Amino acid sequence: MLEQVDPPQTVPHQKAVRPTFLPFSLPDLGEDEISEVVDTLRSGWLTMGPKTQQFEANFRDYVGSAEAVAVNSCTAALHLALVAAGIGEGDEVITSPLTFCATANTVIHQRAKPILADIKAEDFNLDPKQVEKKITSRTRAIIPVHMAGQPCRMDELLDIAHQYDLRVIEDAAHAIGASYKGQRVGSMSDATAFSFYATKNLTTGEGGMLTTNNEELAEVARNLRLHGLSHHAWKRYQAVGSWYYEVIAPGFKYNMTDIQASLGLHQLARIDQFTEVRQHYAAIYSEAFAAIPEIQIPVAGPDLTHAWHLYIIRLTPDALTINRDHFIEELKAENIGTSVHFIPLHLHPFYQAEFGYAPGDFPITEAVYQGAISLPLYTRMTEADIYTVIEAVQRIVERHRR
Ligand SMILES: *Cc1c(COP(=O)(O)O)cnc(C)c1O
């Protein structure tokens, strides 16, 4: 009798280097997005207007928040949330060292101090216990970062915030489509900031959204995103508008445009489909890499929907004869684009010089950073592309196994 042999998931070492370079990220823009932009260009109304309002309404409905304020970046949304929450000179705001610099820079723009707290290795997110240790009489807010699209432990963080009377402003740059215990990210805390940067799960080229359930906060943000002009001043060039406005605060130039919103409307309509593809590809990666002890795979926690913005593997310490940087070089030679998220804030010269942070301050973050590689994960990849990444990783591990 013939023996039943399961076909192997992938065939390691057989296929050659892929013939074309696989970029780390590509936006997924369809004909609907393109036609909507053309319609906007033909309409004569380019800047913030009816399409931005429609995008805000749809976004609010999608995340389940009372309010959504469209802006030109996640950075702007974070900044507006901090201003609207009254964060100012001498205040302390606790956040993760494993984030993009904008998270901390917006705090500094308010003359407040970013206080870093270490993460948990399981999900790369703020460790609530470490957060609690950093609370002082000056602490005013926490900025949880939903790293890679995996929601933070929001119930624990919201409990701490409640106990110490702190605001919670979420950096959800990676987390459109994610949910935590049945609630969508964007509906749970004082304010949430989303990014529509070109590499993010939903893109408008550049763009962002601030969501909140607090009407007053939304009103302040709406005013400040357009120079601090009084309500409806953006309509001043429309038939229903008036030439008259009043400046009620020294605001910013943070508004979204209808060109951006044209993309956003159709990207939002496709976001659940995008997330499903990302989840499917992440599952293929994880099944293959689970068999390689030299690679540690990212794991989604219970009670949440992971948006899989990033698929971050970690090289098991001392398991290979090469380090992470060398591994990335070999992936490049295999025609695979990668990235690293992120160089921890406390390893950058500015935060060291300004706040006295130093290597060794956040050991979990540093250990994660040391071995972290973000592999390509986006909807324009084919399943065959995913397998070329898996095979490249397998070949490199085979070559450099200890
Ligand atoms: C991309 C990103 C931002 C900044 O988003 P912009 O829209 O470019 O301002 C902030 N935080 C994190 C974690 C990000 O990845």
Side-chain angles (χ1 to χ4, degrees):
M1 221 168 92
L2 278 173
E3 214 182 308
Q4 276 297 125
V5 181
D6 287 330
Q9 264 280 305
T10 58
V11 188
H13 336 299
Q14 287 193 356
K15 293 194 183 137
V17 174
R18 45 174 292 141
T20 56
F21 185 72
L22 180 70
F24 172 67
S25 172
L26 283 175
D28 190 338
L29 298 167
E31 287 307 316
D32 288 347
E33 282 89 331
I34 292 167
S35 318
E36 195 73 49
V37 170
V38 171
D39 179 70
T40 301
L41 298 180
R42 295 211 161 103
S43 77
W45 193 271
L46 303 184
T47 185
M48 184 165 69
K51 290 195 183 175
T52 304
Q53 277 193 317
Q54 188 62 52
F55 182 38
E56 288 177 336
N58 296 1
F59 202 88
R60 221 162 49 212
D61 287 350
Y62 180 78
V63 303
S65 63
E67 304 277 351
V69 181
V71 289
N72 58 15
S73 69
C74 177
T75 307
L78 286 168
H79 188 208
L80 288 180
L82 289 161
V83 177
I87 306 301
E89 182 135 31
D91 292 340
E92 293 180 353
V93 177
I94 300 173
T95 194
S96 168
L98 198 68
T99 187
F100 186 59
C101 60
T103 319
N105 288 351
T106 52
V107 172
I108 298 166
H109 292 154
Q110 284 312 101
R111 299 174 182 277
K113 188 174 173 187
I115 303 292
L116 306 178
D118 212 348
I119 60 168
K120 284 226 169 210
E122 298 98 273
D123 60 2
F124 309 157
N125 282 334
L126 270 180
D127 179 349
K129 286 203 179 62
Q130 296 298 326
V131 169
E132 205 161 4
K133 276 192 200 162
K134 299 289 172 137
I135 294 172
T136 72
S137 59
R138 292 167 178 272
T139 309
R140 296 284 312 282
I142 305 170
I143 307 183
V145 180
H146 305 300
M147 188 62 191
Q150 165 136 254
C152 294
R153 292 147 211 265
M154 288 306 291
D155 49 1
E156 290 172 56
L157 292 171
L158 288 167
D159 273 355
I160 293 170
H162 187 246
Q163 194 181 333
Y164 295 91
D165 191 24
L166 310 175
R167 305 283 76 74
V168 173
I169 297 165
E170 297 164 67
D171 182 334
H174 301 177
I176 176 70
S179 56
Y180 178 78
K181 298 194 171 170
Q183 270 189 287
R184 286 237 203 253
V185 168
S187 64
M188 288 179 276
S189 66
D190 295 287
T192 304
F194 293 90
S195 175
F196 310 137
Y197 183 67
T199 58
K200 301 286 159 62
N201 290 19
L202 183 166
T203 187
T204 60
E206 297 275 3
M209 190 74 79
L210 176 63
T211 63
T212 179
N213 294 323
N214 182 329
E215 255 176 65
E216 243 172 90
L217 191 148
E219 199 50 42
V220 173
R222 252 182 223 115
N223 172 255
L224 292 178
R225 81 173 150 179
L226 196 67
H227 308 291
L229 304 190
S230 54
H231 204 45
H232 297 316
W234 62 270
K235 287 187 189 161
R236 67 193 181 282
Y237 300 120
Q238 287 183 330
V240 296
S242 150
W243 58 270
Y244 187 78
Y245 61 84
E246 289 173 348
V247 176
I248 58 176
F252 308 96
K253 179 64 181 179
Y254 282 170
N255 63 280
M256 180 172 274
T257 70
D258 270 18
I259 301 172
Q260 292 166 309
S262 301
L263 298 175
L265 282 167
H266 295 281
Q267 289 271 289
L268 184 63
R270 298 166 71 199
I271 193 66
D272 285 342
Q273 187 194 321
F274 285 165
T275 306
E276 270 174 39
V277 173
R278 289 174 174 278
Q279 286 167 341
H280 176 57
Y281 287 176
I284 297 175
Y285 272 152
S286 289
E287 192 176 339
F289 297 143
I292 307 177
E294 290 80 6
I295 304 282
Q296 291 167 38
I297 57 172
V299 178
D303 294 330
L304 57 82
T305 304
H306 196 315
W308 290 108
H309 172 54
L310 300 172
Y311 190 90
I312 303 175
I313 57 165
R314 292 174 63 196
L315 304 182
T316 304
D318 304 319
L320 295 167
T321 57
I322 56 170
N323 65 15
R324 185 268 316 273
D325 299 4
H326 193 156
F327 203 105
I328 285 177
E329 284 310 307
E330 298 224 355
L331 278 167
K332 197 187 245 173
E334 290 270 0
N335 263 340
I336 310 288
T338 58
S339 190
V340 175
H341 297 87
F342 292 94
I343 303 166
L345 295 185
H346 70 289
L347 301 183
H348 288 288
F350 170 73
Y351 308 102
Q352 295 185 349
E354 188 74 12
F355 304 110
Y357 288 120
D361 284 350
F362 306 100
I364 310 284
T365 297
E366 274 168 60
V368 167
Y369 167 62
Q370 285 277 314
I373 303 172
S374 301
L375 297 179
L377 177 67
Y378 48 98
T379 54
R380 276 180 63 190
M381 289 173 76
T382 63
E383 229 175 84
D385 287 327
I386 293 283
Y387 284 108
T388 64
V389 177
I390 291 171
E391 285 153 15
V393 167
Q394 286 170 334
R395 277 193 292 268
I396 297 166
V397 169
E398 288 291 331
R399 285 203 289 272
H400 301 287
R401 190 166 259 152
R402 244 189 228 287

